[in-house]
């Protein structure tokens, strides 16, 4: 059974960074792209970018280019997203989600992780 | 960026009814459109991809249609378990973008 298990909720101070994890089971992460999506109730869903864990290739939405860094560890079948220089605008739920090849719809999603940025 | 305008924002319907949810893209997305269902406290589930292809395991009462800039999700014979938020997503062009969601309730 395919599962994407995300790490637990995070509370961070403004200006700090956070690294979120997304551990895949039931398949090899090298067979799919891994995407990250941001959700804030008042702003809806925003696509952040994807990583191809097979070769580390990444693609980012322009607005997240300097905010997010996507990496993957094939030995642990886990994808990561680091968010830097956190502000209150980064308070959101973040999802990982996979897509097959270069068809960019998501057949499995993680459960989401809440990141709260507050002083 | 391609803007996805989804309507209605909320919808209340009776069990057994048929409902339609619309997504209008700001430019032609060539059927590169997916629909998702998200139940409270759960992660989104893929219903439809390529505008009209039913994802494995999704009940056949869900269907998608459309082309160009206009797309719709149809739910036949509404069931209580269909209470959820539904949203569309285009994947024709970067950045991938989503509709704002439709909250479906049972009357």
């Amino acid at each position: 059974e395919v599962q994407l298990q995300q790490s637990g909720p995070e509370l961070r101070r403004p200006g700090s960074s956070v690294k979120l994890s997304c551990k895949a089971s039931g398949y090899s992460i090298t067979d799919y792209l891994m995407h990250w999506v941001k959700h804030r109730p008042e702003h809806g869903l925003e696509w952040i970018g994807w990583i191809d864990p097979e070769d580390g290739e990444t693609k980012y939405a322009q607005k997240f280019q300097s905010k997010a860094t996507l990496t993957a560890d094939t030995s642990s079948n886990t994808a990561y997203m680091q968010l830097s220089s956190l502000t209150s605008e980064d308070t959101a739920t973040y999802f990982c989600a996979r897509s097959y090849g270069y068809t960019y719809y998501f057949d499995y999603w993680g459960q989401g992780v809440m990141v709260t940025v507050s002083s | 960026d391609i803007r996805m305008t989804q309507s209605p924002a909320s919808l209340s319907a009776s069990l057994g009814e048929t409902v339609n949810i619309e997504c209008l893209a700001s430019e032609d997305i060539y059927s590169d459109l997916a629909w998702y269902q998200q139940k409270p406290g759960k992660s989104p589930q893929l219903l439809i991809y390529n505008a009209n292809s039913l994802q494995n395991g999704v009940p056949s009462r869900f269907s998608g249609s459309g082309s160009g800039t206009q797309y719709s999700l149809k739910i036949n014979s509404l069931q209580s378990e269909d209470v959820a938020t539904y949203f569309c997503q285009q994947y024709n062009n970067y950045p991938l973008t989503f509709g704002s969601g439709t909250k479906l309730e049972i009357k």
Side-chain angles (χ1 to χ4, degrees), chain B residues 10-21 37 39 47 59-63 73-86 102-107:
Chain B
S10 62
L11 184 55
S12 183
S14 301
L15 294 175
E17 265 193 56
T18 295
V19 300
N20 283 283
I21 299 168
Q37 175 194 67
K39 296 183 179 180
L47 300 173
S60 59
R61 64 177 182 276
F62 292 91
S63 63
L73 173 70
K74 184 177 180 181
I75 310 173
N76 286 318
S77 302
L78 194 65
Q79 307 288 308
S80 57
E81 61 263 32
D82 299 335
V83 169
T85 297
Y86 295 83
T102 296
K103 188 172 183 180
L104 175 60
E105 297 176 333
I106 302 294
K107 272 183 192 172

Side-chain angles (χ1 to χ4, degrees), chain A residues 23-63:
Chain A
K23 183 171 178 58
S25 59
Y27 79 102
S28 172
I29 62 167
T30 57
D31 290 340
Y32 289 78
L33 301 182
M34 190 70 80
H35 301 250
W36 291 84
V37 176
K38 178 180 182 181
H39 182 238
R40 291 180 289 174
E42 67 277 16
H43 293 277
L45 293 157
E46 295 180 276
W47 175 75
I48 296 169
W50 58 251
I51 182 168
D52 183 346
E54 185 168 37
D55 60 10
E57 181 184 1
T58 55
K59 177 73 174 180
Y60 296 92
Q62 188 170 4
K63 75 173 287 187

Side-chain angles (χ1 to χ4, degrees), chain B residues 17-78:
Chain B
E17 265 193 56
T18 295
V19 300
N20 283 283
I21 299 168
E22 312 285 330
C23 258
L24 177 67
S26 59
E27 60 187 79
D28 195 329
I29 57 171
Y30 301 96
S31 297
D32 290 335
L33 184 102
W35 290 98
Y36 301 90
Q37 175 194 67
Q38 186 174 21
K39 296 183 179 180
K42 301 290 188 181
S43 53
Q45 301 290 312
L46 176 66
L47 300 173
I48 301 286
Y49 60 94
N50 295 345
N52 59 15
S53 297
L54 192 67
Q55 173 68 353
N56 289 343
V58 174
S60 59
R61 64 177 182 276
F62 292 91
S63 63
S65 63
S67 62
T69 62
Q70 297 185 318
Y71 299 87
S72 62
L73 173 70
K74 184 177 180 181
I75 310 173
N76 286 318
S77 302
L78 194 65

Side-chain angles (χ1 to χ4, degrees), chain A residues 15-115:
Chain A
S16 67
S17 63
V18 66
K19 191 171 185 178
L20 310 178
S21 66
C22 174
K23 183 171 178 58
S25 59
Y27 79 102
S28 172
I29 62 167
T30 57
D31 290 340
Y32 289 78
L33 301 182
M34 190 70 80
H35 301 250
W36 291 84
V37 176
K38 178 180 182 181
H39 182 238
R40 291 180 289 174
E42 67 277 16
H43 293 277
L45 293 157
E46 295 180 276
W47 175 75
I48 296 169
W50 58 251
I51 182 168
D52 183 346
E54 185 168 37
D55 60 10
E57 181 184 1
T58 55
K59 177 73 174 180
Y60 296 92
Q62 188 170 4
K63 75 173 287 187
F64 293 100
Q65 194 82 36
S66 57
K67 170 63 64 177
T69 302
L70 305 185
T71 57
D73 177 5
T74 57
S75 67
S76 62
N77 223 36
T78 303
Y80 299 92
M81 177 175 69
Q82 179 161 321
L83 300 170
S84 61
S85 303
L86 293 169
T87 73
S88 60
E89 295 294 300
D90 299 314
T91 294
T93 297
Y94 293 88
F95 292 95
C96 58
R98 75 172 199 179
S99 73
Y100 183 68
Y102 292 90
T103 59
Y104 303 126
Y105 56 85
F106 314 127
D107 62 348
Y108 283 93
W109 296 61
Q111 82 275 23
V113 56
M114 181 70 195
V115 174

